[in-house]
Amino acid sequence: MKKRNTLGKIYLAVVFFVLYAPIFYLMFYSFNAGGTMNHFSGFTWDYYKEVFQDTRLLIIVLNTFVIALLSSVVATILGVLGALAIRYMPRPFAKNSLLSLNNVLIVSPDVVIGASFLIFFTILGVKLGFISVLVSHIAFSIPIVVLMVLPKLQEMSPTLIDAARDLGASQWNVLSKVILPYISPGVFAGFFMALTYSLDDFAVTFFVTGNGFSTLSVEIYSRARQGISLSINALSTLLFLFTIVLVIGYYFINQRNAKAAQAMEVPKK
């Protein structure tokens, strides 16, 4: 048993090393004064200063965060409603069909989704830009939110809702004071997952981005094609660190919600 646990830990360490080594390599050379990724010749902040002095890049950063926040908020609202519809749908066939359609969007290749949105917007005559990117990000974020919220709804005992109705609670009161507080960890998880996916998405955004509008992922790709520049390393490092902050923030929010839920539980006699 101990040998098996040791092998498991070694395997896990190798997996994490393979995943994170390229990222830390990129971050390390973002401070290289030599301007290359072959030999570290000295420490410098110049590439980070270059990022913050680039007005066009700052506008792109603002575009990225506006798209991520708006799409995450809208996707969270629609995802919660979708999860409620799936959970409380009376017909099993319709419920399973909706859940299957939701899961198909999760496993579908991003290239297929991006190309589909491009064709869809072209047929409708929608100009590619802010609106097309926002709608696309909302669409691929909704299934993520549904998958985060649905397990919490399935955990909730039906007796909670029955007790609220017996006490005279309206449908809105049941939703706002019973269901939403209970599933709030899933809602926060869905929001942060949608936010992270929106910030990092490239494939779908690449298809639906028009002239004059761009996001960080597309901009990094465009700059990388022009040649090696350590400003790309600095920009990628900042984006990675922001994602880490989001994950840490979600962890502390989840821990706080868990403690609050434990405090509300009635001690069993």
Side-chain angles (χ1 to χ4, degrees):
M1 181 64 71
K2 290 183 179 180
K3 185 178 180 180
R4 185 178 300 177
N5 291 336
T6 303
L7 290 175
K9 291 178 181 179
I10 293 174
Y11 174 77
L12 188 62
V14 171
V15 170
F16 275 103
F17 176 79
V18 171
L19 289 174
Y20 283 95
I23 297 176
F24 289 120
Y25 178 81
L26 178 148
M27 294 172 67
F28 176 74
Y29 277 100
S30 69
F31 301 102
N32 184 20
T36 66
M37 296 180 66
N38 298 322
H39 176 68
F40 193 87
S41 58
F43 184 88
T44 182
W45 290 99
D46 290 346
Y47 302 106
Y48 288 89
K49 293 178 182 177
E50 183 180 330
V51 168
F52 287 104
Q53 289 172 355
D54 190 338
T55 305
R56 179 178 177 275
L57 184 59
L58 293 179
I59 293 174
I60 292 173
V61 171
L62 180 62
N63 290 339
T64 303
F65 283 107
V66 169
I67 288 289
L69 288 172
L70 286 178
S71 63
S72 301
V73 170
V74 176
T76 300
I77 295 172
L78 296 179
V80 170
L81 295 176
L84 288 169
I86 293 173
R87 175 67 179 86
Y88 295 109
M89 187 165 288
R91 297 181 180 179
F93 177 78
K95 178 188 294 187
N96 293 331
S97 298
L98 281 177
L99 188 57
S100 299
L101 290 174
N102 182 80
N103 294 338
V104 165
L105 292 175
I106 293 289
V107 300
S108 295
D110 288 344
V111 174
V112 174
I113 296 175
S116 301
F117 274 116
L118 177 60
I119 296 171
F120 176 71
F121 291 130
T122 302
I123 292 174
L124 293 182
V126 177
K127 184 179 178 181
L128 298 181
F130 179 83
I131 297 298
S132 61
V133 174
L134 178 62
V135 172
S136 301
H137 282 224
I138 291 172
F140 71 66
S141 296
I142 290 175
I144 300 170
V145 178
V146 171
L147 288 183
M148 293 292 105
V149 174
L150 199 55
K152 295 301 296 181
L153 284 172
Q154 292 171 341
E155 286 178 12
M156 188 172 63
S157 174
T159 56
L160 292 174
I161 298 176
D162 294 337
R165 288 174 178 169
D166 290 340
L167 294 172
S170 63
Q171 291 288 349
W172 171 250
N173 287 333
V174 170
L175 177 63
S176 61
K177 296 182 179 180
V178 179
I179 297 178
L180 289 180
Y182 189 90
I183 66 172
S184 59
V187 174
F188 279 112
F191 173 80
F192 280 106
M193 286 292 292
L195 186 65
T196 304
Y197 269 74
S198 179
L199 286 173
D200 295 342
D201 180 74
F202 167 74
V204 176
T205 308
F206 182 77
F207 279 94
V208 298
T209 299
N211 294 329
F213 185 87
S214 184
T215 62
L216 272 176
S217 57
V218 177
E219 180 66 15
I220 291 173
Y221 172 76
S222 301
R223 294 193 178 199
R225 292 184 62 187
Q226 297 172 4
I228 296 176
S229 173
L230 296 189
S231 62
I232 299 175
N233 293 42
L235 181 59
S236 302
T237 300
L238 293 173
L239 185 60
F240 174 75
L241 292 178
F242 181 77
T243 305
I244 293 297
V245 170
L246 285 180
V247 173
I248 294 173
Y250 164 68
Y251 171 78
F252 282 109
I253 290 175
N254 196 32
Q255 289 293 106
R256 187 184 65 179
N257 289 336
K259 291 180 180 178
Q262 290 177 357
M264 292 176 62
E265 289 181 355
V266 179
K268 294 181 179 181
K269 295 183 180 181

